[in-house]
Amino acid sequence: MCGRYSLTPAPGILEDRFDATFAAQLTGPAYNAAPSQQLPVILNTDPGKIQLLQWGLIPGWVKELQKAPKPINARAETLTEKPSFRQLLQRRRAIIPADGFYEWQATTNGKIPHRILRRDEEVFAFAGLWDEWLDRTTGEVLPTFTIITTEPNDLMAPIHNRMPVILKDRNAELAWLDDTVPLAAHQELLRPLPTELMRAYTVSKLVNSPAHNSPDVLAPAA
């Protein structure tokens, strides 16, 4: 599972990193990005823009918004088995910029939060899916996204039994966004990032609440 992550670089750094420009203004760094928030996403239909989408997928076919599930994650192994995800895998893929994510390890002393990032501490991108939901009453269009998860690598396995798909490099990011790439090749990208490229450390329980959105959330636990 991936239920929290961070994205702290300035907009200009993100624009250079992803060769795209922001379509909307950021309110500030996301030290503790959480579901239901508006977060930066790059869509396959417009890879030159960084747009703000709500985290928690609302498929376009949903009729009653309040009763609809809003999955924040989608399992890589079963994407083609579920009609709604299969169609999005074919036509609505996204990358989600991040510089770390959080996971909680279950222990006899309770759940211990960890921050996981690339060993080089560079910005990376999750693989995701997106869709648009139309409010037929107001005409408002609500774009949303979900992050794809996969089996854990050796670093993540002691912490949690799932991890988000982190695309390995820029070529993988571009391939994931490319509509001319075959479905099978897209699926091949949905692998755990190699263990040697990652590191993890424990953080304080400040991260437990999305109300805490400050650099303190990133600090190693005392």
Side-chain angles (χ1 to χ4, degrees):
M1 178 174 180
C2 178
R4 299 285 176 75
Y5 68 90
S6 61
L7 181 64
T8 63
I13 293 175
L14 296 174
E15 289 179 330
D16 289 343
R17 166 62 175 80
F18 293 100
D19 193 24
T21 56
F22 271 93
Q25 186 173 358
L26 278 179
T27 56
Y31 298 102
N32 193 8
S36 80
Q37 294 178 357
Q38 297 284 327
L39 297 161
V41 178
I42 300 171
L43 311 181
N44 64 306
T45 54
D46 200 350
K49 288 184 180 178
I50 305 174
Q51 305 184 48
L52 299 183
L53 272 68
Q54 180 175 299
W55 187 9
L57 187 74
I58 303 173
W61 49 262
V62 165
K63 293 183 179 179
E64 295 187 55
L65 183 61
Q66 301 305 319
K67 296 182 179 180
K70 302 175 182 65
I72 62 172
N73 294 152
R75 294 174 65 93
E77 301 88 337
T78 59
L79 288 180
T80 59
E81 298 173 10
K82 299 181 178 180
S84 57
F85 284 154
R86 184 170 62 245
Q87 292 178 18
L88 298 182
L89 179 60
Q90 293 171 339
R91 61 188 179 85
R92 291 195 163 175
R93 297 171 310 283
I95 62 174
I96 298 94
D99 60 5
F101 67 96
Y102 304 98
E103 195 53 80
W104 284 256
Q105 181 182 26
T107 74
T108 55
N109 295 319
K111 292 186 176 182
I112 299 176
H114 294 252
R115 184 170 185 246
I116 302 97
L117 61 164
R118 285 187 62 107
R119 187 168 292 279
D120 59 13
E121 301 189 10
E122 293 293 330
V123 176
F124 55 82
F126 299 123
L129 303 173
W130 66 281
D131 206 352
E132 291 180 325
W133 182 77
L134 173 64
D135 186 329
R136 291 170 176 79
T137 303
T138 65
E140 179 186 6
V141 175
L142 177 62
T144 61
F145 74 94
T146 188
I147 293 172
I148 300 173
T149 65
T150 185
E151 60 188 11
N153 60 21
D154 290 343
L155 175 78
M156 284 298 302
I159 301 173
H160 200 271
N161 62 0
R162 301 292 295 173
M163 66 177 286
V165 173
I166 297 173
L167 296 165
K168 186 176 181 180
D169 52 31
R170 185 61 178 152
N171 287 338
E173 293 166 5
L174 293 174
W176 179 249
L177 293 175
D178 190 345
D179 288 337
T180 66
V181 171
L183 178 62
H186 281 145
Q187 290 177 283
E188 281 297 314
L189 296 171
L190 304 179
R191 307 288 186 184
L193 190 68
T195 299
E196 63 270 17
L197 298 180
M198 301 176 67
R199 69 179 183 92
Y201 63 91
T202 58
V203 294
S204 76
K205 292 184 179 180
L206 283 174
V207 73
N208 290 359
S209 171
H212 297 140
N213 184 43
S214 73
D216 294 338
V217 177
L218 308 181

